[in-house]
PDB file of all heavy atoms in Angstrom:
ATOM      1  N   VAL Q 805     -22.498  21.851  37.572  1.00 89.00           N
ATOM      2  CA  VAL Q 805     -22.688  22.916  38.560  1.00 89.00           C
ATOM      3  C   VAL Q 805     -21.993  22.458  39.839  1.00 89.00           C
ATOM      4  O   VAL Q 805     -21.765  21.262  40.018  1.00 89.00           O
ATOM      5  CB  VAL Q 805     -24.192  23.185  38.827  1.00 89.00           C
ATOM      6  CG1 VAL Q 805     -24.805  23.939  37.664  1.00 89.00           C
ATOM      7  CG2 VAL Q 805     -24.926  21.885  39.084  1.00 89.00           C
ATOM      8  N   GLY Q 843     -20.611   8.541  31.193  1.00 94.00           N
ATOM      9  CA  GLY Q 843     -21.104   7.845  30.004  1.00 94.00           C
ATOM     10  C   GLY Q 843     -21.041   8.690  28.740  1.00 94.00           C
ATOM     11  O   GLY Q 843     -21.230   8.180  27.639  1.00 94.00           O
ATOM     12  N   GLN Q 860     -16.801  15.607  19.932  1.00 94.00           N
ATOM     13  CA  GLN Q 860     -16.686  14.150  19.913  1.00 94.00           C
ATOM     14  C   GLN Q 860     -16.617  13.576  18.504  1.00 94.00           C
ATOM     15  O   GLN Q 860     -16.957  14.234  17.527  1.00 94.00           O
ATOM     16  CB  GLN Q 860     -17.847  13.528  20.693  1.00 94.00           C
ATOM     17  CG  GLN Q 860     -19.199  13.869  20.147  1.00 94.00           C
ATOM     18  CD  GLN Q 860     -20.347  13.288  20.979  1.00 94.00           C
ATOM     19  OE1 GLN Q 860     -21.401  13.035  20.458  1.00 94.00           O
ATOM     20  NE2 GLN Q 860     -20.142  13.068  22.271  1.00 94.00           N
ATOM     21  N   HIS Q 863     -18.296   7.481  14.952  1.00 76.00           N
ATOM     22  CA  HIS Q 863     -17.661   6.477  14.116  1.00 76.00           C
ATOM     23  C   HIS Q 863     -18.619   6.021  13.027  1.00 76.00           C
ATOM     24  O   HIS Q 863     -19.615   5.367  13.297  1.00 76.00           O
ATOM     25  CB  HIS Q 863     -17.205   5.299  14.967  1.00 76.00           C
ATOM     26  CG  HIS Q 863     -16.216   5.718  16.014  1.00 76.00           C
ATOM     27  ND1 HIS Q 863     -14.945   6.134  15.679  1.00 76.00           N
ATOM     28  CD2 HIS Q 863     -16.318   5.832  17.352  1.00 76.00           C
ATOM     29  CE1 HIS Q 863     -14.302   6.466  16.789  1.00 76.00           C
ATOM     30  NE2 HIS Q 863     -15.106   6.306  17.814  1.00 76.00           N
ATOM     31  N   GLU Q 881     -27.877  16.575  25.856  1.00 96.00           N
ATOM     32  CA  GLU Q 881     -27.579  17.315  24.633  1.00 96.00           C
ATOM     33  C   GLU Q 881     -28.629  18.394  24.381  1.00 96.00           C
ATOM     34  O   GLU Q 881     -29.822  18.120  24.384  1.00 96.00           O
ATOM     35  CB  GLU Q 881     -27.539  16.329  23.457  1.00 96.00           C
ATOM     36  CG  GLU Q 881     -27.322  17.023  22.130  1.00 96.00           C
ATOM     37  CD  GLU Q 881     -27.206  16.048  20.966  1.00 96.00           C
ATOM     38  OE1 GLU Q 881     -26.702  14.925  21.165  1.00 96.00           O
ATOM     39  OE2 GLU Q 881     -27.625  16.420  19.855  1.00 96.00           O
ATOM     40  N   GLY Q 889     -13.491  19.144  10.837  1.00 84.00           N
ATOM     41  CA  GLY Q 889     -12.163  18.546  11.007  1.00 84.00           C
ATOM     42  C   GLY Q 889     -11.994  18.005  12.408  1.00 84.00           C
ATOM     43  O   GLY Q 889     -12.958  17.830  13.149  1.00 84.00           O
ATOM     44  N   THR Q 988     -14.861  42.258  15.041  1.00 97.00           N
ATOM     45  CA  THR Q 988     -13.507  42.728  14.756  1.00 97.00           C
ATOM     46  C   THR Q 988     -12.496  41.951  15.590  1.00 97.00           C
ATOM     47  O   THR Q 988     -12.783  41.565  16.721  1.00 97.00           O
ATOM     48  CB  THR Q 988     -13.391  44.221  15.120  1.00 97.00           C
ATOM     49  OG1 THR Q 988     -14.419  44.923  14.441  1.00 97.00           O
ATOM     50  CG2 THR Q 988     -12.046  44.787  14.714  1.00 97.00           C
ATOM     51  N   VAL Q1009      -2.235  33.562  30.356  1.00 98.00           N
ATOM     52  CA  VAL Q1009      -1.161  32.577  30.251  1.00 98.00           C
ATOM     53  C   VAL Q1009      -1.254  31.958  28.871  1.00 98.00           C
ATOM     54  O   VAL Q1009      -2.346  31.635  28.398  1.00 98.00           O
ATOM     55  CB  VAL Q1009      -1.258  31.501  31.364  1.00 98.00           C
ATOM     56  CG1 VAL Q1009      -0.377  30.303  31.032  1.00 98.00           C
ATOM     57  CG2 VAL Q1009      -0.832  32.099  32.706  1.00 98.00           C
ATOM     58  N   LYS Q1036       6.275  36.976  31.602  1.00 96.00           N
ATOM     59  CA  LYS Q1036       7.197  36.300  32.499  1.00 96.00           C
ATOM     60  C   LYS Q1036       7.014  34.793  32.306  1.00 96.00           C
ATOM     61  O   LYS Q1036       5.878  34.326  32.168  1.00 96.00           O
ATOM     62  CB  LYS Q1036       6.825  36.685  33.933  1.00 96.00           C
ATOM     63  CG  LYS Q1036       7.986  36.513  34.905  1.00 96.00           C
ATOM     64  CD  LYS Q1036       7.550  36.553  36.348  1.00 96.00           C
ATOM     65  CE  LYS Q1036       6.898  37.835  36.825  1.00 96.00           C
ATOM     66  NZ  LYS Q1036       6.637  37.760  38.275  1.00 96.00           N
ATOM     67  N   PRO Q1061       1.851  14.988  27.711  1.00 87.00           N
ATOM     68  CA  PRO Q1061       1.704  13.586  27.327  1.00 87.00           C
ATOM     69  C   PRO Q1061       2.068  12.657  28.484  1.00 87.00           C
ATOM     70  O   PRO Q1061       3.000  12.943  29.243  1.00 87.00           O
ATOM     71  CB  PRO Q1061       2.697  13.429  26.177  1.00 87.00           C
ATOM     72  CG  PRO Q1061       2.901  14.808  25.655  1.00 87.00           C
ATOM     73  CD  PRO Q1061       2.736  15.726  26.819  1.00 87.00           C
ATOM     74  N   ALA Q1066      -2.549  11.400  28.400  1.00 89.00           N
ATOM     75  CA  ALA Q1066      -2.211  12.711  28.950  1.00 89.00           C
ATOM     76  C   ALA Q1066      -2.412  12.735  30.458  1.00 89.00           C
ATOM     77  O   ALA Q1066      -3.276  12.030  30.983  1.00 89.00           O
ATOM     78  CB  ALA Q1066      -3.071  13.779  28.285  1.00 89.00           C
ATOM     79  N   SER Q1088      -8.473  17.841  29.186  1.00 95.00           N
ATOM     80  CA  SER Q1088      -9.576  18.801  29.047  1.00 95.00           C
ATOM     81  C   SER Q1088     -10.346  19.040  30.342  1.00 95.00           C
ATOM     82  O   SER Q1088     -11.551  18.800  30.416  1.00 95.00           O
ATOM     83  CB  SER Q1088     -10.568  18.294  27.980  1.00 95.00           C
ATOM     84  OG  SER Q1088     -10.075  18.484  26.711  1.00 95.00           O
TER      85      SER Q1088
END
Side-chain angles (χ1 to χ4, degrees):
Chain Q
V805 285
Q860 60 183 208
H863 300 291
E881 176 177 328
T988 306
V1009 165
K1036 203 194 299 185
S1088 284

